[in-house]
Amino acid sequence: MAEAAGVAAESLAGCRARAARTVLDQVVLPGEELLLPDQEDGEGSGGAGERPLRLNAAARSRGRVVCGPGLRRCGDRLLVTKCGRLRHKEPGSGSGGGVYWVDSQQKRYVPVKGDHVIGIVTAKSGDIFKVDVGGSEPASLSYLAFEGATKRNRPNVQVGDLIYGQFVVANKDMEPEMVCIDSCGRANGMGVIGQDGLLFKVTLGLIRKLLAPDCEILQEVGKLYPLEIVFGMNGRIWVKAKTIQQTLILANILEACEHMTADQRKQIFSRLAES
Amino acid sequence: MQTESKIRADSRTEPGPRGPGCSLRHFACEQNLLSRPDGSASFLQGDTSVLAGVYGPAEVKISKEIFNKATLEVILRPKTGLPGVAEKSRERLIRNTCEAVVLGALHPRTSITVVLQVVSDAGSLLACCLNAACMALVDAGVPMRALFCGVTCALDSDGTLMLDPTAKQEKEARAVLTFALDSVERKLLMSTTKGLYSDAELQQCLAAAQTASTHVFRFYRESLQRRYSKS
């Protein structure tokens, strides 16, 4: 029925609006249009150009479908704007239609509210710090946005320091603002990142993969050497181990993780563990 | 991540029985080959090869910023010598095509820069530049409302239509027409023509280009599917 609906929804010469359900986990290209499940039913029965009257419109499950990264609402359909795999997450509590998004591979970060990122302080002007987060503009960080900071007790932040914080304001129209405290006023791991260690950049997809709950890479890396590691959603990773050599080895492993298969990784880990 | 494809489209791209030479040359595309730009692609059409790099959405100078959309810049560097007027005019054509397709309103006060380097020129250069720019924009993750491709047609003195002409065919042709088409409805985004041709011939060339663009878009799809299948 989804196929019939797809064919019936052919509105443009040479272009089919496909049902989102049939394209899950497949590669979608910019310009494709996707139909949501509740539109499929309407299109399928209206294939001949007639729509049956529905007396109880509420019987159709009208969930609120969330349109995630890579998708835009276009009329009552979803327009794909980035190339990648289409993913879907079912709603947890039963209400709503779930989330659809496109898993794409990107290097450039665009600030999103609530993301935890690693920034580099580039300037101190008056009461705010300018922090480079890898986006199109530097984010602003107020000196009062640290745990225990008051007007008299200023935080010890210099130009060039690494900051781990989260965005409180991040949209396309305003300059992004970040803070190093959570909503209760506690640092919760955020703030200035300590001395030494190595900061390097990876793609955004790799960060998401490493931060997924079922990722084994981190556990394996932890078994190798004792280490401190901070992941920023803007593609930056800060890592620190006991010696410089171990730090560099860990940085190289994490950078290479993107292109290695699980077997190759296990081989490398076992070789390192022996030496 | 390299994909190659041989596309021979003899009878289908040719609207009338006009003789040989209506096939597209061998395509190849490689993505994510440069480490510094946010997106990069290399596109080969026969012996013509163009390397494209995309930076964006990045910081923009205050003098160039637009308050409600992204500033798109295209820089085209020829293989030898300094860029001249021909490069400037091609840059403008490519920029107009990209602006029609890129969703600049999602990134106001930023800049998206496309840098194109001609590696070798053996005919149909503008079409190859357009294809490379499109693949690089997709690789960079810049939001777009459709994909676009470039197709070149040449008309020689007896009216034979040739798609994707080589440098020699372009020089001997009476007219050379380049079209940029979008992937959603094969609509015309940009056209630039040189030479003498009639109205009917223009429509013929446009129809042939639209049919040829199906092959290009199929190649894009295969190339991108191969790239994502590795992860």
Side-chain angles (χ1 to χ4, degrees):
Chain A
M1 190 183 142
E3 291 80 37
V7 169
E10 186 169 345
S11 48
L12 307 163
C15 162
R16 278 178 26 171
R18 300 187 280 179
R21 262 204 332 248
T22 58
V23 205
L24 277 185
D25 289 338
Q26 287 178 35
V27 174
V28 287
L29 298 182
E32 291 186 8
E33 289 196 342
L34 303 171
L35 296 170
L36 295 170
D38 55 351
Q39 274 131 32
E40 274 176 65
D41 303 7
E43 297 282 355
S45 51
E50 298 163 356
R51 274 169 205 273
L53 274 182
R54 284 181 182 272
L55 293 176
N56 52 340
R60 268 202 297 175
S61 59
R62 271 188 192 280
R64 195 180 67 144
V65 171
V66 178
C67 200
L71 294 169
R72 303 249 328 145
R73 247 194 60 184
C74 159
D76 53 356
R77 297 175 179 183
L78 294 179
L79 174 72
V80 179
T81 57
K82 290 192 193 178
C83 174
R85 290 194 182 273
L86 185 69
R87 306 271 190 219
H88 174 61
K89 182 172 156 203
E90 292 292 336
S93 45
S95 73
V99 193
Y100 284 95
W101 76 94
V102 176
D103 218 347
S104 63
Q105 294 169 356
Q106 243 181 286
K107 288 194 207 171
R108 171 69 63 165
Y109 177 67
V110 172
V112 170
K113 182 173 164 177
D115 263 2
H116 291 257
V117 295
I118 299 180
I120 306 175
V121 179
T122 54
K124 264 207 279 196
S125 67
D127 291 341
I128 56 169
F129 304 112
K130 284 277 181 236
V131 180
D132 162 45
V133 290
S136 61
E137 291 185 276
S140 76
L141 170 63
S142 162
Y143 76 95
L144 289 172
F146 289 85
E147 182 172 11
T150 59
K151 287 200 182 144
R152 294 206 185 153
N153 177 20
R154 288 178 177 243
N156 184 15
V157 177
Q158 308 304 324
V159 171
D161 279 352
L162 294 178
I163 300 268
Y164 183 61
Q166 65 177 342
F167 285 114
V168 289
V169 171
N171 54 50
K172 63 182 167 78
D173 300 309
M174 294 167 62
E175 179 194 47
E177 292 174 26
M178 59 189 287
V179 292
C180 291
I181 49 175
D182 61 9
S183 49
C184 305
R186 286 191 291 261
N188 213 8
M190 294 186 274
V192 180
I193 296 178
Q195 293 295 314
D196 306 330
L198 178 66
L199 177 78
F200 58 97
K201 200 163 172 348
V202 293
T203 59
L204 307 187
L206 179 64
I207 298 273
R208 291 195 297 261
K209 189 165 103 172
L210 291 170
L211 286 176
D214 52 351
C215 180
E216 328 149 317
I217 305 179
L218 266 192
Q219 294 158 6
E220 291 171 21
V221 164
K223 282 186 216 147
L224 260 187
Y225 310 119
L227 79 160
E228 274 180 72
I229 192 162
V230 180
F231 293 102
M233 297 298 289
N234 53 345
R236 294 180 180 168
I237 302 181
W238 178 86
V239 74
K240 179 174 162 185
K242 283 219 185 89
T243 66
I244 295 181
Q245 198 186 26
Q246 288 180 358
T247 311
L248 288 172
I249 291 175
L250 289 167
N252 283 329
I253 292 176
L254 288 170
E255 276 174 340
C257 264
E258 186 157 20
H259 306 292
M260 288 197 290
T261 59
D263 300 321
Q264 288 169 327
R265 216 175 49 228
K266 288 194 173 61
Q267 274 179 12
I268 296 193
F269 277 121
S270 50
R271 238 189 309 147
L272 281 172
E274 287 160 24
S275 64
Chain B
M1 275 130 275
Q2 192 162 24
T3 342
E4 302 204 355
S5 108
K6 284 195 198 315
I7 298 189
R8 287 285 166 257
D10 291 298
S11 49
R12 280 202 281 164
T13 55
E14 198 185 338
R18 280 286 187 156
C22 278
S23 54
L24 297 172
R25 293 180 284 181
H26 173 233
F27 286 169
C29 170
E30 192 179 347
Q31 286 197 309
N32 205 18
L33 57 158
L34 300 173
S35 60
R36 278 183 170 263
D38 301 323
S40 54
S42 157
F43 205 88
L44 271 94
Q45 271 180 234
D47 285 328
T48 309
S49 168
V50 175
L51 183 60
V54 169
Y55 296 85
E59 268 196 52
V60 66
K61 274 198 256 190
I62 307 279
S63 57
K64 290 193 195 163
E65 77 172 12
I66 306 178
F67 75 97
N68 61 344
K69 57 183 186 157
T71 310
L72 201 83
E73 275 181 353
V74 176
I75 301 172
L76 175 61
R77 295 251 174 260
K79 183 176 169 192
T80 50
L82 290 172
V85 177
E87 278 71 39
K88 273 275 176 291
S89 114
R90 288 200 186 110
E91 283 173 12
R92 187 157 164 274
L93 294 168
I94 298 171
R95 193 181 69 235
N96 287 345
T97 314
C98 292
E99 273 178 0
V101 168
V102 165
L103 290 168
L106 291 180
H107 299 290
R109 301 181 333 275
T110 64
S111 83
I112 300 175
T113 310
V114 182
V115 181
L116 296 154
Q117 171 67 56
V118 177
V119 174
S120 66
D121 181 6
S124 312
L125 182 63
L126 185 57
C128 197
C129 291
L130 285 166
N131 295 336
C134 180
M135 288 265 94
L137 284 168
V138 165
D139 188 42
V142 173
M144 301 203 280
R145 62 171 60 88
L147 296 175
F148 61 91
C149 80
V151 184
T152 316
C153 290
L155 288 166
D156 72 359
S157 38
D158 26 290
T160 318
L161 199 151
M162 287 175 288
L163 284 175
D164 204 14
T166 60
K168 187 161 167 294
Q169 287 171 332
E170 272 186 0
K171 225 180 354 174
E172 292 166 1
R174 136 168 81 89
V176 178
L177 304 92
T178 306
F179 301 108
L181 302 160
D182 88 341
S183 65
V184 176
E185 288 179 29
R186 310 285 177 273
K187 279 208 241 185
L188 188 63
L189 293 172
M190 182 276 293
S191 89
T192 177
T193 65
K194 184 175 81 163
L196 221 56
Y197 52 91
S198 72
D199 196 15
E201 282 171 340
L202 172 65
Q203 297 301 326
Q204 223 179 14
C205 287
L206 188 51
Q210 282 174 329
T211 325
S213 68
T214 344
H215 299 284
V216 184
F217 289 128
R218 197 176 332 135
F219 173 69
Y220 281 1
R221 180 177 286 275
E222 284 168 9
S223 169
L224 290 166
Q225 274 174 346
R226 210 164 303 185
R227 177 163 183 226
Y228 279 91
S229 71
K230 292 205 179 139
S231 55

